[in-house]
Amino acid sequence: MIEIIKIIVSFILFIIALFIPKNYDTLKIMLYFISYLLVGFEIIVRAFKNLWKKNILDENFLMMIATIGAILIKSYEEAVCVMLFYQIGELFQNLAVSKSRKSIINLMDLREDYANLKKNGKVVKTDLKKIKVGDLIVVRPGEKIPLDGIVLEGTSEIDTSKLTGESLLRVVDKDSYVLSGFINISGQITMEVKKTYDESTVSKILNLVENASEYKAPQEKFITKFSRYYTPCVIVLAIIVGIIVPFILNKDYTPYLYKALSFLVVSCPCALVVSIPLSFFSGIGKASMEKILIKGSSYLEKVAGIDTIVFDKTNTLTKGNFVIDKVKAYEISEDKMLELVSLVENASSHPIALALKQKNYKKMDLNKVSNIKQYRGLGIKAKVLDDIVLVGNAKFLKQEKIVFEENNEEKTTIYVALNDKYLGYITIVDEIKEEASLCMKLLKKRKIKTIILTGDKKQIADKVAKRLKIDEVYSELLPQDKVNILNDILAKKNKNKNVCYVGDGINDAPAIALCDIGISLGLKASEAAIEASDITIMADDLMKVDTVINIANKTMSVVRQNIFICILAKVLILLLTLLGLSTMWEAVFADVGITIITVINALLLLRRKV
């Protein structure tokens, strides 16, 4: 607000000075001087601070010497205009950055400032940072869930859209795991806190976004380095134009000094310095609107150069929810075999076990089962009434010396035996995500190579790759195998292109960290994957991978447009200045006007469709 007031007062004084008659020169000059100091004092201070730090080669130094030179040749109104319009340009930039930041903050309007702590039978509003793991908190209808935890009492519908983008409400009850940022809609729930505020989902997301602008893209670094060479060249050329040329030609110094000063003003690289970081920030803001959190602009630029994407399979290309595909029973009915399997698998929380017991879960008599013994990586053996039931893979049945015929289908197969006699098998499938096929088609159109790295069986991985038309597939891998294969892929890549890895599990974290771009996908992504990733997609939507590429391409397009606009305008005005066909007014437009144009162009990125 203070900056706006200073600009307004400076502008009013400038207008008054313009209309004061020439016979009141002292008053006129005084008003110009006050107007100049109101908008230029801060720039002059910055220039001297940089001079003290031996860092004079920036736009502040150029602005200072250009305007002081204009005052020396008695072009007072032009000196004021340079500073005034420069500050107006800065104001436009700040407004644009605020709008971009606001779009991110609106997305992250997730945080509660307090929690309803339940202690000694009482519920008290308590600061989030005072809540510890294990504390009980109450979340009433309409409140945001303040911390991550497990529901102990109550049933309710919750709105997860702020985090996941899903419009459908989710029902939670006892033992449901809920995240901070979800909104409780219908019923009161009591939950046990599993993460403190600093470790909560919302806190991590907010930190991710707030720190995003601290990372600079190579394009920005280039401009910083560019000004170190550019500024001294401009100053040398200005000295040649303003002092050496009139000395050689034995001409009056005043018009040449005027040209040199105009040359200095128009040469300021502030339009580039302002517009390019803003373009990247707008891109990050646009991505955040799409539930895509990018840790910095350097990663946004890298995404635009992707030519290979490596995918994990489970929970990334597939849903990770196993369902029964086929039941084949020989000695008993299919329903009877499913009931036996459900009873035995009831003790296991493995995803495959959940699929096996889902049909008969509610009608099972768990008193029938006893002596349950699990064999890691093989299966389960248990006693159902007086019978011994085995449920497991082919290796388990072979180990137990049970005669059976192995199923050759490209599916996960669970074999069942009763009292050492083979009963039949059940095939389990992990469903491919509905949007996976369309996503792969869009990536093909972009000429991006696709690869699967998975620890799953070769037959299953090959089937998914064939369905989705993936270019290459590597299966039955341990985490270290993924890293070794990725190292080979990275070693063979084009040096101007980037390799991206998309995954969600703890075992994906090393691969995510290794690649040029690492993306953690979905609400189920592990903390290790999120921590290692450069980009986090807070939705279980594979199409967001294509969306982030689209945003990155549009951002880089805006960056290139702004660079072209700045350089073209400056070259044209510089030529006109050297030929004596322009004044400092044109120089001001080239420096400040182009800044405003490029800032608006960057800001429009927030409104463009992806």
Side-chain angles (χ1 to χ4, degrees), residues 374-398:
Q374 298 193 38
Y375 296 80
R376 180 176 289 185
L378 296 171
I380 297 178
K381 181 190 289 187
K383 188 175 182 181
V384 179
L385 296 178
D386 296 323
D387 299 315
I388 303 298
V389 180
L390 275 72
V391 179
N393 57 25
K395 188 176 180 181
F396 188 34
L397 265 68
K398 288 175 183 176

Side-chain angles (χ1 to χ4, degrees), residues 298-445:
S298 59
Y299 306 118
L300 194 62
E301 185 175 8
K302 282 184 177 182
V303 168
I306 287 174
D307 74 343
T308 302
I309 299 183
V310 183
F311 292 94
D312 173 44
K313 184 183 74 67
T314 306
N315 283 333
T316 303
L317 296 175
T318 63
K319 294 180 180 179
N321 297 323
F322 290 91
V323 295
I324 295 173
D325 177 65
K326 180 181 177 182
V327 180
K328 185 70 175 178
Y330 295 109
E331 300 293 329
I332 59 176
S333 69
E334 293 178 359
D335 285 341
K336 183 63 177 176
M337 188 172 78
L338 275 174
E339 184 181 352
L340 286 173
V341 171
S342 299
L343 285 164
V344 172
E345 292 283 358
N346 183 64
S348 175
S349 60
H350 189 280
I352 292 177
L354 295 176
L356 290 172
K357 67 187 182 184
Q358 62 186 345
K359 280 192 175 183
N360 299 283
Y361 185 81
K362 290 184 179 179
K363 59 184 180 183
M364 286 189 297
D365 182 0
L366 301 181
N367 294 318
K368 293 180 179 179
V369 62
S370 60
N371 299 335
I372 298 172
K373 189 174 182 181
Q374 298 193 38
Y375 296 80
R376 180 176 289 185
L378 296 171
I380 297 178
K381 181 190 289 187
K383 188 175 182 181
V384 179
L385 296 178
D386 296 323
D387 299 315
I388 303 298
V389 180
L390 275 72
V391 179
N393 57 25
K395 188 176 180 181
F396 188 34
L397 265 68
K398 288 175 183 176
Q399 181 177 296
E400 296 294 319
K401 297 180 180 179
I402 294 171
V403 179
F404 72 105
E405 185 178 345
E406 200 163 342
N407 178 40
N408 294 318
E409 292 182 79
E410 295 176 351
K411 298 170 184 175
T412 300
T413 304
I414 306 298
Y415 299 93
V416 185
L418 179 67
N419 297 325
D420 294 333
K421 186 176 181 181
Y422 179 52
L423 283 186
Y425 64 86
I426 301 168
T427 57
I428 308 294
V429 293
D430 182 5
E431 293 179 287
I432 295 174
K433 290 182 177 179
E434 291 85 356
E435 72 273 15
S437 182
L438 177 58
C439 181
M440 295 306 116
K441 286 178 183 178
L442 292 174
L443 295 180
K444 289 289 182 189
K445 285 184 180 180

Side-chain angles (χ1 to χ4, degrees), residues 235-254:
I235 293 172
V236 169
L237 286 173
I239 292 170
I240 292 171
V241 171
I243 298 174
I244 296 176
V245 171
F247 175 78
I248 293 173
L249 299 177
N250 195 25
K251 298 284 187 178
D252 181 16
Y253 280 87
T254 303

